[in-house]
Amino acid sequence: QVQLVESGGGLVQPGGSLRLSCATSGIIFTVFPMGWYRQAPGKQRELVAQISSRDTTTYIPSVEGRFTISRDNAKKMVYLQMNNLKPEDTAVYYCNMPSRPFAWGQGTPVTVSS
């Protein structure tokens, strides 16, 4: 079965950085686009970054220039480098396929606060 395990979240001050990791299993990883979602309490889950099977990346405007999504096909991993974090980035972050998500993992919480 498909498994998605996120890690790397934590508490960071505004302006700080975090690198999130997503370990995948049960899929032919190289053929799938992948993305990072986030969900704040009481808010809709939103796709914030995605990377195609050909390494083309896209971002929502609020994270453009601050977040970088990448993938390592050999390791079946997806990463999200987050720089210059802002309080509004606080959320639980999930990895999944952008168009047709698999079953969701537990996510990794990110809290940006001074």
Side-chain angles (χ1 to χ4, degrees):
Q1 65 186 63
V2 175
Q3 288 188 296
L4 305 168
V5 181
E6 301 92 347
S7 63
L11 174 64
V12 65
Q13 292 189 327
S17 297
L18 286 172
R19 190 187 190 199
L20 308 184
S21 298
C22 172
T24 73
S25 63
I27 61 172
I28 305 173
F29 182 79
T30 57
V31 308
F32 291 108
M34 291 296 292
W36 283 95
Y37 297 75
R38 67 186 181 189
Q39 186 170 31
K43 305 291 177 58
Q44 296 284 338
R45 181 153 42 203
E46 64 175 343
L47 178 66
V48 300
Q50 57 188 103
I51 183 167
S52 76
S53 62
R54 300 176 66 181
D55 289 348
T56 299
T57 60
T58 56
Y59 306 89
I60 58 171
S62 62
V63 308
E64 182 77 50
R66 300 188 297 117
F67 290 10
T68 302
I69 186 172
S70 61
R71 66 193 298 160
D72 185 330
N73 290 339
K75 297 179 179 179
K76 298 183 178 181
M77 298 283 290
V78 189
Y79 306 97
L80 186 67
Q81 178 67 46
M82 304 185 296
N83 299 325
N84 192 24
L85 283 160
K86 303 176 179 181
E88 54 262 43
D89 296 319
T90 295
V92 178
Y93 284 72
Y94 304 84
C95 63
N96 219 321
M97 195 167 65
S99 183
R100 173 61 179 91
F102 302 105
W104 298 95
Q106 295 301 302
T108 185
V110 171
T111 301
V112 185
S113 177
S114 59

